Structure formats: C-alpha cells, structure tokens
C-alpha cells in the first residue's frame, strides 16, 4: 500500500467557493503529480513538481494552481470553483522521472461543484 | 498522434475463468508500458511495467505481454476472483527522460461475477 494520502475524499461545494485539495506522501519522493479523471475517461495530467519550489503545468489546461513548499506536501487550489470543475482529482508521486518510474497514486478526491 | 486504445471497453466474466485485455498504442518513441489496476473510488495501482526488450512479465495471476513491433500489449488474468473487479489501465511512456510523458488508455472495466 502506497503511503500517499488525499483529503478530503469527497467534497460537494457551491459555485464560486475557494477550495484546496490536500495531498501528502511519506515516501520521500521528489516528483509529485496531479491528475484529473472523469468517469470512463483517461487520466489527464494537470500539474507536476520535480521538487520543492518547482511546479509545472501539465497537458490539460486547468484553472487550478499548486504549490510545493515541502517535499511531502503538494496541495491543489481552485480560487473560484465552477460546475465544469466537477471531476475526480488524483495525486501521485514517484522517485524517478515522469516516464521512467512507477507512480504511486493516492485514493483521489471526488469533487462536485453545484 | 500518440494514442493508447484499449479493448474491450467492458467485460463480464464468471469467477474462476480466465480473461485477456488488449492495449494497442501508437506512441513513438517508445520507452515502457505499464498496466495499472484501479478499484472503484481508488487510485490506480501498478501491476507490471515492461520495457522495449521485455515481451512478458508476470505478477501473481496477472501476466502482461508486449509486442513492440506491432505495438500491442495484453494483460491475461488467470483464475479470476471477485476482487479482480476493477478498471485496468494501459499506460505508455515515450522515450524515458525527465521531460518524457505518459499516455493513458481509458481502461477496460472488468466485472467478475460469482
């Protein structure tokens, strides 16, 4: 079982609210990632980080922002949630590069914006 | 265009039976191919990873094959169990590097009935 945690697991909020999805890992991995996944669809990379103070946007355009102040913590923030943000958000980490190493995933946060 | 296609989209089998899931890809250059298992409401968990030179890899009752010439992979599940019910995702990496990327399939939803 991978030691990567996400909170909350489920979140239902109204339009316009600011939210932060938490992700923490205890494996000491330098690389961390955020994916967005809709039902029956593939995962899309929205943000990644190769270490502290390093963040990059992924393949899928997202209105969210991330920060990496500590190695173990990689929170994702939506300043003003909209119904189009309704999705499952998966956090992952790895010790190697994006395409060279196995990623360990958290359990996900299912976000519903009304 | 780099793509990963999986078939079938969904599959129902009886407990104890075997099954084979398919993955075809057009990703080039190729670095490695992974199969992940994703239980409902959970993050994906790695089952196998194969590089260009490997054509088969096993993990318990799971056996993955890779034909890099035809760009096809399969995941064979032997003596299925109820706990095998999940989505199985094929993920292909392009040439391994820090800047490489992953291409995700949409998954095959497997349901095992008693």
């Amino acid at each position: 079982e991978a030691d990567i945690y996400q909170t909350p697991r489920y979140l239902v909020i109204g339009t316009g609210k600011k939210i932060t999805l938490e992700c923490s890992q205890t494996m000491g991995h330098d690389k961390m990632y955020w994916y967005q996944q809709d039902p029956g669809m593939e995962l899309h990379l929205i943000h990644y980080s190769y270490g502290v103070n390093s963040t990059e946007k992924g393949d899928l355009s997202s209105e969210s922002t991330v920060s990496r102040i500590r190695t173990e913590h990689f929170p994702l923030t939506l300043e003003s949630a909209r119904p189009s943000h309704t999705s499952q958000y998966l956090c992952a980490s790895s010790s190697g590069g994006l395409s060279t190493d196995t990623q360990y995933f958290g359990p996900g946060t299912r976000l519903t914006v009304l | 265009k780099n793509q990963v296609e999986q078939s079938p989209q969904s599959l129902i089998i009886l407990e104890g039976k075997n099954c084979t899931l398919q993955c075809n890809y057009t990703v080039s250059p190729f670095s490695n191919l992974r199969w992940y298992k994703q239980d409902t409401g959970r993050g994906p968990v790695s089952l196998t990873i194969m590089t260009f030179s490997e054509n088969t890899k096993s993990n318990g009752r799971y056996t993955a094959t890779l034909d890099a010439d035809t760009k096809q992979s399969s995941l064979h599940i032997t003596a299925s169990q109820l706990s095998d019910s999940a989505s199985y995702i094929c993920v292909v990496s392009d040439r391994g590097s820090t800047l490489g990327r992953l291409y995700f399939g949409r998954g095959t939803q497997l349901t095992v009935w008693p």
Side-chain angles (χ1 to χ4, degrees):
Chain A
E1 189 80 17
D3 297 320
I4 180 164
Y5 310 97
Q6 291 185 244
T7 58
R9 292 293 314 280
Y10 303 92
L11 181 60
V12 181
I13 61 168
T15 297
K17 299 293 185 182
K18 177 181 179 179
I19 61 168
T20 296
L21 307 185
E22 301 288 349
C23 176
S24 295
Q25 52 96 5
T26 59
M27 296 174 282
H29 288 165
D30 289 329
K31 318 297 190 298
M32 295 190 74
Y33 316 87
W34 275 104
Y35 290 90
Q36 187 172 339
Q37 184 184 31
D38 293 319
M41 301 296 288
E42 63 267 45
L43 277 73
H44 291 285
L45 181 68
I46 52 175
H47 296 283
Y48 60 97
S49 167
Y50 284 143
V52 171
N53 295 325
S54 155
T55 61
E56 300 287 344
K57 289 189 178 294
D59 306 316
L60 182 67
S61 176
S62 174
E63 294 166 346
S64 59
T65 59
V66 292
S67 63
R68 189 89 182 276
I69 298 173
R70 303 197 315 266
T71 298
E72 62 272 20
H73 195 213
F74 191 39
L76 180 146
T77 298
L78 277 167
E79 291 293 332
S80 179
R82 296 205 302 269
S84 61
H85 295 139
T86 294
S87 189
Q88 167 138 310
Y89 293 85
L90 290 163
C91 180
S93 72
S94 70
S95 58
L98 179 65
S99 65
T100 59
D101 197 26
T102 297
Q103 295 183 18
Y104 295 89
F105 286 85
T109 293
R110 181 160 296 283
L111 173 65
T112 302
V113 184
L114 303 176
Chain B
K1 179 180 177 182
N2 288 323
Q3 285 186 313
V4 177
E5 301 287 342
Q6 293 188 242
S7 62
Q9 183 176 353
S10 62
L11 180 63
I12 299 174
I13 62 173
L14 294 177
E15 186 179 14
K17 298 297 185 182
N18 304 334
C19 66
T20 300
L21 314 179
Q22 300 291 342
C23 173
N24 296 335
Y25 62 93
T26 59
V27 176
S28 182
F30 172 85
S31 175
N32 57 65
L33 184 147
R34 305 176 174 100
W35 282 94
Y36 280 88
K37 177 186 179 187
Q38 185 176 22
D39 292 316
T40 300
R42 307 290 298 181
V45 174
S46 179
L47 293 175
T48 63
I49 179 170
M50 288 183 293
T51 59
F52 184 88
S53 59
E54 298 173 295
N55 55 25
T56 187
K57 184 161 285 188
S58 292
N59 178 0
R61 294 179 296 103
Y62 301 103
T63 299
T65 64
L66 173 65
D67 186 333
D69 292 330
T70 61
K71 297 186 177 182
Q72 295 179 326
S73 176
S74 65
L75 180 69
H76 185 74
I77 304 175
T78 304
S80 61
Q81 300 176 357
L82 299 180
S83 59
D84 291 332
S85 294
S87 179
Y88 291 84
I89 302 171
C90 177
V91 185
V92 181
S93 303
D94 61 13
R95 189 70 69 192
S97 73
T98 301
L99 299 179
R101 61 162 295 180
L102 302 179
Y103 298 86
F104 288 82
R106 294 185 176 185
T108 291
Q109 183 65 47
L110 174 66
T111 303
V112 181
W113 283 2

